[in-house]
Amino acid sequence: MLIEKTRDEVLEDIILSLRNFKKSFGDTQVLQGINLDVRRGEFVTLLGPSGCGKTTVLRIIAGLLDADEGQVILEGNDVTEAPPEKRNVNTVFQSYALFPHMNVGANVGYALRIRGEKKAKIKEEVARALSLVQLEGYERRMPHELSGGERQRVAIARAVIAKPKVLLLDEPLGALDLQLRRQMQIELKRLQRTLGITFIYITHDQEEALNMSNRIAVMRGGVFEQVGTPAEVYDTPRTSYVARFVGEANIICGKAVSVSDGFVTLRTDGGVVTARDGGIKFRAGDDVTISVRRENIQIIDELQDAGLRATVKEKNFVGGLLRTTLELDDGVEIIAARCGIDSPHVPGDVVYVMFTPEHAVAVRELP
Amino acid sequence: MSNKVKSSKRKRSRRSTFPTLYLAILTVLTYVPIAVVVVYSFNESKISSVWSGLSLRWYKELFRDPDMFRALLMSVLLGVSSCLIAAVIATLAAIGLPRAKLPGRKLVEYLSSLPIIIPEIVLGMVFLVYFSLLNLPFGMTTLIIAHTSFCIPYIYMQVKARLIGLDESYYEAARDLGASSIRAFFDITLPLIMPAVISGMFLSFAMSFDDVIISVFVTGVSTDTLPIKVYTQLKTSTTPKINALCTLMLVVTVFCYVMSYVFSRIGRRNMKTQKEREHKEAIRKA
Ligand SMILES: Nc1ncnc2c1ncn2[C@@H]1O[C@H](COP(=O)(O)OP(=O)(O)O)[C@@H](O)[C@H]1O
Ligand SMILES: [Mg+2]
């Protein structure tokens, strides 16, 4: 069935649309209304903690699982009812799922063999796919003879050989060590640019998501809480959950005292501060929650025009940054991070926490 | 402290005496009689109880006996055909039943392995009555039907265990790469469960090869199998030929068990690791 494309879809060249799909396993609703439009060539990441439903979304796109409601539209065709083999979508499985009884060549060439391609052609394409993932000459190895990183590359080669419209990757780097993960992030990104294939990528690692994606869908309990570019998600989180999950922002709560031109000023137990309103319409007296990144927190000794009183609790040197943990008067914990190895403050000092209003943003507090 | 050491020592020694004792009982009850038969099968003497020197005489006589040879042929033919038929039925059942959406699915799955605990004499009687009612002439056909039916559970259980441990994502990956469900079954699932099928086939061949009870109920005039021959010959005369025959049957059966074990070990690395399963369960619980 051909679905009429909306004007936006034509203009933006939408390759895949997820329309309000829902899924329950028994009594538990795992997905509650998933909506997403993916543009051709885009790298979209589903980011969320374990168990939030990421894999389920991917399996529904791949056709390995039926949604209870909603539609999957691929290049204007409704493929909701189509079996997996009839969708031009391939998956890199979380466990790689390399066929253990076939060598690397047979694994990678499997999709072409199914299509009935000639042996010589398959051989040529397999060699090309393997060179794409830097595994030239690996055809005769068996999967159990490969390292984790090599297996992962074979899984990618096998999934891209048939030139799918969309490649689905389920935590492909999850099983690799940190160093290899960093390297593979770069390689995957490069591969995606060379092939021009649309990627839908799953991870629970916010750094990975920020590094690789054109857009990130932050997932929580079966819904997308925010979909946006890495900069949008990082600088203007829509909810306190997104703020915390992406970059572990500080969350401060208070009551609005005044509102002006995109900013809101709030009073907390420890003092008064101002933040961007994040598009939320506040009135004086409303509850306000704001998010401030660790690197935007300044610690000063004397109160200036705005700031919150706090006590220094702890200092750590982590990853090239000095991390200071403070406690506000209302008991909320704040973490400040800055370059350098030491600061003049010691635990027990009473100081003031401040930040420029542009660096703080009001967020919604969802249950 | 010293008390603790002592008690743990005592425990250890008790732990090691028990297996030794058990092994001794097992040896006396089972392996000594077997060894006697095996040794005496190489005895030159015509009288079983007198040892007169090493010889292959009884083996030669055994193979020269056309009756025995025919019985061997019958046993092999029966064993091979019933375990092949049983393999097809049991494999399809093990794969199909969990996917079937029929209400009594659990009951059918349970019934599939039940025949193992039904006494053979009951099964034999049941087959006898049933085949008579159907007017089926007793012979190879009835033997194959009866043996197939008691072979199915052995293969079914092996295959089922393998399928439970098999990561579904291999099959899914094949579908994802464009294979129809049938193609994915033949390319992926079947090769991965094949060792279990073969293991079950060896096991059921061994079962069929030494079965007397069910066979005597359903055999025909000219289709006596080896075990039936052993049984009927023992009643008339006990020539040392029987020792040789028993030794041969022992070798075949042991070989089948060993092969069954070997094949059940093959392909284990394709199974989900314990860790993965725990991980999946943890996620499901959370
Ligand atoms: N086949 C299934 N049967 C029952 N529950 C399932 C099944 N698959 C997933 N779930 C549940 O759905 C939720 C989301 O799972 P999943 O999509 O795998 O999460 P994620 O990939 O984000 O870790 C989990 O709570 C999981 O236990
Ligand atoms: Mg997952």
Side-chain angles (χ1 to χ4, degrees), chain A residues 25 27-30 49-54 56 221-222, chain B residues 277-286:
Chain A
F25 291 113
D27 293 338
T28 46
Q29 187 162 16
V30 171
S50 181
C52 73
K54 307 182 294 294
T56 307
Chain B
R277 228 171 295 157
E278 275 166 13
H279 176 71
K280 278 198 177 160
E281 229 154 73
I283 289 178
R284 195 142 301 158
K285 267 183 204 147

Side-chain angles (χ1 to χ4, degrees), chain B residues 31-156:
Chain B
Y31 291 114
V32 167
I34 289 176
V36 167
V37 168
V38 171
V39 168
Y40 274 87
S41 75
F42 295 102
N43 185 5
E44 168 74 46
S45 166
K46 209 173 171 62
I47 307 150
S48 285
S49 49
V50 179
W51 180 264
S52 66
L54 212 59
S55 121
L56 287 176
R57 176 182 165 190
W58 301 110
Y59 288 90
K60 284 182 196 143
E61 285 204 15
L62 189 67
F63 282 104
R64 255 187 250 121
D65 183 343
D67 256 16
M68 281 297 170
F69 201 72
R70 211 185 128 68
L72 174 71
L73 216 63
M74 283 297 154
S75 275
V76 172
L77 181 67
L78 171 62
V80 169
S81 35
S82 37
C83 76
L84 278 177
I85 300 171
V88 173
I89 297 174
T91 306
L92 289 179
I95 289 169
L97 276 179
R99 289 163 200 243
K101 285 190 179 107
L102 49 118
R105 185 174 57 83
K106 275 267 174 312
L107 183 68
V108 177
E109 279 187 43
Y110 180 65
L111 286 179
S112 302
S113 44
L114 189 65
I116 286 183
I117 58 156
I118 296 179
E120 286 186 31
I121 191 125
V122 174
L123 275 182
M125 277 292 302
V126 166
F127 282 127
L128 176 70
V129 172
Y130 188 57
F131 292 150
S132 311
L133 279 175
L134 291 178
N135 257 333
L136 265 180
F138 288 91
M140 206 27 129
T141 316
T142 46
L143 275 171
I144 290 178
I145 294 174
H147 279 228
T148 300
S149 98
F150 77 71
C151 284
I152 287 176
Y154 293 100
I155 306 178
Y156 174 82

Side-chain angles (χ1 to χ4, degrees), chain A residues 102-119:
Chain A
M102 296 184 189
N103 64 21
V104 169
N107 261 286
V108 175
Y110 188 72
L112 301 183
R113 215 173 88 212
I114 295 283
R115 285 188 190 170
E117 301 279 3
K118 293 227 164 49
K119 272 227 171 81

Side-chain angles (χ1 to χ4, degrees), chain A residues 50-51 59 62 64 83-85 89-91 93 95 97-102 110-111 113-114 144 158-159, chain B residues 167 169-181 183-184 187-189 191-192 269-270 276 279 283:
Chain A
S50 181
R59 288 169 62 80
L64 298 168
E85 67 268 25
V89 167
N90 286 143
T91 308
F93 287 81
S95 56
L98 298 183
F99 307 133
H101 58 301
M102 296 184 189
Y110 188 72
R113 215 173 88 212
I114 295 283
H144 69 265
R158 181 177 73 173
Chain B
D167 195 337
S169 59
Y170 297 129
Y171 170 82
E172 289 180 342
R175 294 295 303 277
D176 187 70
L177 291 166
S180 64
S181 57
R183 180 85 197 249
D187 281 356
I188 310 301
T189 312
L192 291 179
R269 68 165 173 268
N270 307 336
E276 272 172 290
H279 176 71
I283 289 178

Side-chain angles (χ1 to χ4, degrees), chain A residues 12 19 28 54 61 83 86 107 117 129 136 155 171 174 183 195 225 235 237 242 266 275 280 292 297 319 321:
Chain A
E12 294 195 34
R19 298 220 178 132
T28 46
K54 307 182 294 294
I61 300 174
K86 294 274 187 290
N107 261 286
E117 301 279 3
E136 289 94 344
E171 308 209 18
Q183 185 194 334
L195 294 173
E225 280 216 358
D235 292 333
V242 173
L266 59 150
I280 310 171
V292 195
I297 300 262
L321 292 174

